[in-house]
Amino acid sequence: MIDLKDKIIVVVGGKGMLGKEFVKQIRANGGIAIDADINLKSDIEAHELECNITDEASISNLIAVVLKKFGRIDGWVNTAYPRTDDWGTKIDTISFDSWKKNVDMHMNGYFIASKLAIDAMLPAKSGSLINISSIYGVVGPDFTVYEGTEMTMPAAYSAIKGGLTNLGQYLASYYGKSGIRVNTISPGGIFDNQPASFLENYNKKVPLKRMGTPQDIAPAVVYLLSDASSYVTGHNLIIDGGWTAI
């Protein structure tokens, strides 16, 4: 049985499409989920804290507040999705400045959040950290699914997510001796009212013939945060309806 009873778990990006479901299912399984998001006003009694994953001081303050209230952090999930206003620009027109800003906000933000969260877990010699990556950190994009739309897969996204997957392996290797587990989850495409032509193209290719939902991803988060996964670290769990199998 998966049980998160009384575990103190921070979800950064808790108001996002995936994050909301993570918070919900952590709480449903007995965990104390701290919903941390840039679009929140801090209220630790309501288990909600403002957090900007691109700002080291913001993350440090969040951790200090949680430790003061609960004395520990048992789990941490990075699922925030910071990006510039020109996100989605095709690679032949993207500016170098935009590329650098996105890598700095997203990948570097996940790095400092992971490092500070692990530092907070070290005294207890236990803890589970999860970074949300993507199938496009594992395989190249299939641009045929975007035909007939204005959509594309941003080049920085693939670079960032590939970096996060390998960062997870590094952290797992380095901190394993300290009892800290670090894993990555790589979802496939998540349904978000995309154009009909994109949905048709995507569903035609993926073996399960549909896009994923937050409800498809959240149980894996719960599992990796729980003691049921106590011997799982350095793993990249791909949840993609079979996309990367073909």
Side-chain angles (χ1 to χ4, degrees):
M1 178 180 176
I2 305 298
D3 184 8
L4 298 178
K5 183 173 173 56
D6 297 330
K7 287 186 180 291
I8 310 302
I9 299 164
V10 176
V11 180
V12 183
K15 282 291 180 278
M17 183 171 60
L18 292 177
K20 285 188 288 188
E21 188 63 24
F22 297 168
V23 168
K24 177 181 176 181
Q25 292 206 26
I26 289 166
R27 291 172 177 170
N29 284 275
I32 298 172
I34 309 301
D35 188 347
D37 197 280
I38 196 171
N39 296 312
L40 281 171
K41 291 185 177 179
S42 293
D43 182 353
I44 189 60
E45 298 303 323
H47 300 168
E48 293 189 344
L49 291 174
E50 179 183 4
C51 182
N52 179 353
I53 201 170
T54 71
D55 183 344
E56 182 177 357
S58 177
I59 300 164
S60 294
N61 180 67
L62 178 148
I63 290 172
V65 171
V66 174
L67 292 179
K68 181 178 180 181
K69 174 67 176 179
F70 298 103
R72 69 186 196 280
I73 293 174
D74 301 306
W76 185 285
V77 184
N78 286 319
T79 188
Y81 190 12
R83 53 202 183 277
T84 57
D85 291 339
D86 66 347
W87 186 248
T89 301
K90 294 182 180 180
I91 192 168
D92 50 356
T93 58
I94 191 172
S95 71
F96 186 38
D97 184 60
S98 175
W99 171 280
K100 290 188 291 184
K101 285 180 179 178
N102 280 294
V103 171
D104 188 39
M105 289 193 300
H106 196 150
M107 185 164 70
N108 296 345
Y110 273 46
F111 163 76
I112 192 58
S114 296
K115 186 176 185 304
L116 294 175
I118 290 171
D119 286 347
M121 296 174 183
L122 286 173
K125 296 184 177 180
S126 68
S128 173
L129 183 138
I130 301 169
N131 283 320
I132 302 301
S133 183
S134 167
I135 55 170
Y136 283 155
V138 179
V139 297
D142 181 349
F143 287 101
T144 65
V145 300
Y146 305 110
E147 292 177 355
T149 78
E150 295 299 316
M151 300 169 61
T152 191
M153 171 47 57
Y157 185 85
S158 294
I160 291 162
K161 293 304 190 181
L164 291 176
T165 299
N166 285 301
L167 174 64
Q169 294 173 329
Y170 180 98
L171 295 175
S173 179
Y174 190 86
Y175 288 107
K177 63 183 181 295
S178 303
I180 309 300
R181 296 187 298 108
V182 180
N183 291 287
T184 305
I185 293 177
S186 290
I190 303 298
F191 176 74
D192 190 25
N193 297 304
Q194 291 91 341
S197 56
F198 171 82
L199 294 173
E200 181 180 356
N201 292 337
Y202 193 98
N203 294 345
K204 186 185 299 181
K205 174 176 176 174
V206 68
L208 289 185
K209 303 304 176 188
R210 67 172 178 86
M211 298 194 76
T213 67
Q215 292 75 22
D216 291 318
I217 313 302
V221 172
V222 172
Y223 166 69
L224 290 173
L225 290 169
S226 77
D227 294 339
S229 62
S230 61
Y231 201 56
V232 180
T233 195
H235 185 62
N236 179 29
L237 178 55
I238 299 173
I239 308 173
D240 67 350
W243 182 276
T244 56
I246 58 173

